[in-house]
Short mmCIF file of all heavy atoms in Angstrom, two decimals:
data_model
loop_
_atom_site.label_atom_id
_atom_site.label_comp_id
_atom_site.label_asym_id
_atom_site.label_seq_id
_atom_site.Cartn_x
_atom_site.Cartn_y
_atom_site.Cartn_z
N ILE E 12 9.79 -7.55 -39.01
CA ILE E 12 9.07 -6.88 -40.09
C ILE E 12 9.40 -5.39 -40.10
O ILE E 12 9.64 -4.79 -41.15
CB ILE E 12 7.55 -7.10 -39.95
CG1 ILE E 12 7.20 -8.58 -40.19
CG2 ILE E 12 6.78 -6.22 -40.93
CD1 ILE E 12 5.75 -8.91 -39.93
N ALA E 14 12.16 -3.98 -38.98
CA ALA E 14 13.53 -3.82 -39.46
C ALA E 14 13.61 -4.00 -40.97
O ALA E 14 14.35 -3.29 -41.66
CB ALA E 14 14.44 -4.83 -38.76
N LEU E 41 17.84 7.85 -65.33
CA LEU E 41 16.45 7.47 -65.49
C LEU E 41 15.64 8.73 -65.73
O LEU E 41 16.18 9.84 -65.81
CB LEU E 41 15.97 6.74 -64.24
CG LEU E 41 16.71 5.43 -63.91
CD1 LEU E 41 16.21 4.88 -62.59
CD2 LEU E 41 16.56 4.41 -65.02
N HIS E 46 13.69 10.15 -59.08
CA HIS E 46 14.26 10.35 -57.74
C HIS E 46 13.24 10.92 -56.76
O HIS E 46 13.30 10.68 -55.56
CB HIS E 46 15.48 11.27 -57.82
CG HIS E 46 15.15 12.69 -58.09
ND1 HIS E 46 14.83 13.16 -59.35
CD2 HIS E 46 15.07 13.77 -57.25
CE1 HIS E 46 14.58 14.45 -59.29
NE2 HIS E 46 14.70 14.85 -58.02
N ARG E 66 4.42 -0.11 -32.68
CA ARG E 66 3.31 -1.00 -32.37
C ARG E 66 3.81 -2.28 -31.71
O ARG E 66 3.15 -2.84 -30.83
CB ARG E 66 2.55 -1.33 -33.65
CG ARG E 66 1.29 -2.14 -33.41
CD ARG E 66 0.53 -2.35 -34.70
NE ARG E 66 -0.67 -3.13 -34.47
CZ ARG E 66 -1.49 -3.53 -35.44
NH1 ARG E 66 -1.24 -3.19 -36.71
NH2 ARG E 66 -2.56 -4.25 -35.16
N MET E 162 -0.41 -12.38 29.44
CA MET E 162 -0.52 -13.28 28.30
C MET E 162 -1.45 -12.72 27.24
O MET E 162 -1.18 -12.81 26.03
CB MET E 162 -1.01 -14.67 28.77
CG MET E 162 0.05 -15.47 29.49
SD MET E 162 -0.50 -17.17 29.85
CE MET E 162 -1.74 -16.86 31.10
N PRO E 191 -14.26 5.56 6.04
CA PRO E 191 -15.16 4.55 6.63
C PRO E 191 -14.67 3.99 7.96
O PRO E 191 -15.46 3.94 8.93
CB PRO E 191 -15.25 3.48 5.54
CG PRO E 191 -15.01 4.23 4.27
CD PRO E 191 -13.99 5.25 4.61
N ALA E 205 -19.50 7.56 26.55
CA ALA E 205 -20.73 8.35 26.57
C ALA E 205 -20.90 9.11 27.88
O ALA E 205 -21.40 10.25 27.89
CB ALA E 205 -21.94 7.44 26.33
N ASP E 214 -12.51 15.40 10.49
CA ASP E 214 -12.25 16.18 9.28
C ASP E 214 -11.38 15.34 8.35
O ASP E 214 -10.20 15.63 8.15
CB ASP E 214 -11.57 17.51 9.64
CG ASP E 214 -11.34 18.38 8.40
OD1 ASP E 214 -12.01 18.14 7.38
OD2 ASP E 214 -10.49 19.29 8.47
N ARG E 225 -7.94 -2.90 5.30
CA ARG E 225 -8.84 -2.22 6.22
C ARG E 225 -8.59 -2.68 7.65
O ARG E 225 -8.62 -1.87 8.59
CB ARG E 225 -10.29 -2.51 5.80
CG ARG E 225 -11.37 -2.18 6.84
CD ARG E 225 -11.58 -0.70 7.01
NE ARG E 225 -12.57 -0.41 8.03
CZ ARG E 225 -13.86 -0.19 7.79
NH1 ARG E 225 -14.32 -0.22 6.54
NH2 ARG E 225 -14.70 0.09 8.77
N LEU E 228 -5.61 -0.85 9.13
CA LEU E 228 -5.93 0.55 9.41
C LEU E 228 -6.84 0.66 10.63
O LEU E 228 -6.67 1.57 11.45
CB LEU E 228 -6.60 1.19 8.19
CG LEU E 228 -6.84 2.70 8.27
CD1 LEU E 228 -5.54 3.45 8.50
CD2 LEU E 228 -7.53 3.20 7.01
N ASN E 234 -6.21 2.07 18.05
CA ASN E 234 -5.30 2.32 19.17
C ASN E 234 -5.08 3.81 19.39
O ASN E 234 -5.05 4.28 20.54
CB ASN E 234 -3.96 1.62 18.90
CG ASN E 234 -3.98 0.15 19.28
OD1 ASN E 234 -4.13 -0.20 20.44
ND2 ASN E 234 -3.85 -0.71 18.30
N TRP E 261 1.66 10.47 0.30
CA TRP E 261 1.40 9.96 1.64
C TRP E 261 0.10 10.54 2.17
O TRP E 261 -0.27 11.67 1.84
CB TRP E 261 2.53 10.34 2.60
CG TRP E 261 3.87 9.89 2.15
CD1 TRP E 261 4.68 10.50 1.25
CD2 TRP E 261 4.56 8.70 2.57
NE1 TRP E 261 5.83 9.77 1.08
CE2 TRP E 261 5.79 8.67 1.88
CE3 TRP E 261 4.26 7.68 3.47
CZ2 TRP E 261 6.71 7.64 2.05
CZ3 TRP E 261 5.17 6.67 3.65
CH2 TRP E 261 6.37 6.65 2.94
N LEU E 282 6.42 5.10 22.44
CA LEU E 282 6.18 4.28 21.27
C LEU E 282 6.81 2.90 21.39
O LEU E 282 6.68 2.08 20.48
CB LEU E 282 6.72 4.98 20.01
CG LEU E 282 6.03 6.30 19.64
CD1 LEU E 282 6.74 6.95 18.47
CD2 LEU E 282 4.56 6.08 19.32
N GLN E 291 -2.30 4.40 36.41
CA GLN E 291 -3.69 4.54 36.81
C GLN E 291 -4.64 4.55 35.61
O GLN E 291 -5.85 4.38 35.76
CB GLN E 291 -3.89 5.86 37.59
CG GLN E 291 -3.02 5.95 38.83
CD GLN E 291 -3.29 4.81 39.79
OE1 GLN E 291 -4.44 4.46 40.05
NE2 GLN E 291 -2.21 4.23 40.32
N GLY E 322 -3.07 19.16 24.03
CA GLY E 322 -2.58 17.86 24.48
C GLY E 322 -1.57 17.27 23.52
O GLY E 322 -0.59 17.90 23.16
#
Side-chain angles (χ1 to χ4, degrees):
I12 293 174
L41 298 175
H46 73 281
R66 186 176 179 184
M162 286 187 290
D214 183 19
R225 165 72 182 265
L228 187 58
N234 277 295
W261 304 82
L282 296 175
Q291 302 302 315

